[in-house]
Amino acid sequence: MKKLTVLFGVFLFGILLFSNALDFMPKEYDVVMYIPDISKLYDAVKQTNAGDILANQIGLEQMFTGVIEQQLMMQGYTLDDLDIFKELLIVAGKESTLLVLGPSKDPNKIKELFENFSGQSLPEEIKIVNGYFVVGENYGGGTLPQELKNFLNKGYLAVSYINTNEEDFKVKGYGYAALRDNEVEFHQEIVPQDDKTKQLFNDIASKDGIDILKDENIGGDLFGFINRKLPDSLLKSLPVDLPKVLEGFSGTAYISGDISSVLTNALSGMQVSNVPFYGVVYYNNPSWDMIEGEKRFKNIGGKKYGIVETEEGTPVLYINLSNEKITFYGVSPDEYVAGDKEFIKENYSSDYVVGLFVNLRPMIFNFIGIDSESYFKFYGYFKDGKLIEKALLK
């Protein structure tokens, strides 16, 4: 009896120690992303025009659920056995990353499910701790920043945190995701933490980018860009080894394309081999040596193009070099026709340093004939000495 009491006490202590994913927070970290309720976030996405049409009107949710349910039944399980997708915590530090997913009422059943379907043992890197699946060695002993606790008390769907403390770059930032009417919004503000970083932000904010919209070849339902020269000190602070090829990058690059036209052609039975996109990278004195892959060259419209092909000989990229930029096409330049520019003009601002706009409206209309305003937008800009980042899904 005494042994049972001790065992129960240890079990209860474990449950209290790790009562939710945030209790796995390590003592030191640089980046945090936490979703307290994945199903609540998913329900919010389904309230957007895009989510409602994809999940409900097209029926992708029912279709996907049916396939999963059928596969589970073949192994003697039901959908109720998949009770793992509640919280998601991702924490990154300078030398380690932690991922926590759960809790599950019966994690051993999830483990069994994985091993039955994959035919492999659960990887050693994945540990089961009090109902949570944990990837990473460094966990426990830390706390969530107070600002994020305040965000969670406000009922936000997800929260984020960044704290970079490099020699030449020190920032701190907080973010959240929320449902506004029928639009899911992510908002994050990044604030410099020393005079050197403040000056860095001011230097970027004070520069003007190129007037991208003057380019008549821009158009379509997808548009991505960066339009400021980023200082070397900022590039060096990024947690990746940047290739030497970026040393000649002038600070402006953009790409646009018509995704909906590809979908329309595919639905009409046409064989789709090329995507009609167009892009430009402003670059100081580019050379053909920096373009990877085998190329053949062809004169098109009085300009020399290097053509990158598949192993079967299908052209997938047409590249032209000049003294100041690299221009590339997904189809032959003499066949390229710019898509409609209105969506891009409505959303682009010269204040934006970086952005990605995807107009989902024509794709949805071409697919099922429903005309509904729908899009994904991401953009970043400087204001009041801070870097503001926004993402919107409608």
Side-chain angles (χ1 to χ4, degrees), residues 182-338:
N182 65 335
E183 191 172 64
V184 173
E185 172 192 353
F186 172 76
H187 179 96
Q188 180 166 263
E189 297 187 6
I190 298 176
V191 182
Q193 298 298 298
D194 64 358
D195 291 338
K196 185 181 290 188
T197 308
K198 287 179 183 178
Q199 186 59 49
L200 185 73
F201 275 32
N202 290 333
D203 288 345
I204 300 173
S206 63
K207 290 183 172 67
D208 292 325
I210 293 173
D211 187 356
I212 294 177
L213 296 191
K214 277 188 175 181
D215 192 332
E216 295 180 356
N217 284 323
I218 288 176
D221 42 39
L222 179 145
F223 181 54
F225 64 91
I226 179 172
N227 198 20
R228 292 296 189 282
K229 175 62 177 175
L230 301 180
D232 292 338
S233 57
L234 176 58
L235 294 175
K236 291 177 181 177
S237 70
L238 298 177
V240 292
D241 294 326
L242 297 175
K244 288 186 177 180
V245 69
L246 288 180
E247 292 178 359
F249 179 50
S250 301
T252 297
Y254 50 89
I255 184 171
S256 66
D258 247 336
I259 303 174
S260 58
S261 66
V262 177
L263 179 61
T264 301
N265 292 337
L267 291 174
S268 64
M270 293 178 60
Q271 184 176 358
V272 180
S273 58
N274 295 85
V275 180
F277 63 81
Y278 162 80
V280 173
V281 178
Y282 278 83
Y283 199 92
N284 296 321
N285 299 315
S287 69
W288 288 109
D289 293 337
M290 58 184 283
I291 309 296
E292 296 183 0
E294 294 294 327
K295 299 173 289 295
R296 66 179 175 89
F297 295 93
K298 184 178 180 180
N299 189 294
I300 304 175
K303 294 182 180 180
K304 177 184 176 182
Y305 284 88
I307 304 175
V308 179
E309 300 174 331
T310 64
E311 292 182 359
E312 293 76 24
T314 302
V316 292
L317 195 63
Y318 297 78
I319 307 169
N320 172 257
L321 306 185
S322 69
N323 291 333
E324 64 171 8
K325 64 183 178 181
I326 304 169
T327 305
F328 53 93
Y329 294 83
V331 296
S332 181
D334 56 352
E335 298 176 3
Y336 173 78
V337 178

Side-chain angles (χ1 to χ4, degrees), residues 28-68:
E28 296 182 357
Y29 48 85
D30 297 327
V31 178
V32 176
M33 193 277 283
Y34 175 57
I35 302 174
D37 191 329
I38 297 174
S39 62
K40 187 176 179 181
L41 175 60
Y42 176 61
D43 288 341
V45 169
K46 287 197 296 182
Q47 292 185 53
T48 67
N49 290 349
D52 174 58
I53 290 171
L54 292 173
N56 300 321
Q57 300 189 46
I58 295 179
L60 290 183
E61 178 181 350
Q62 185 176 4
M63 187 187 311
F64 181 75
T65 302
V67 171
I68 296 297

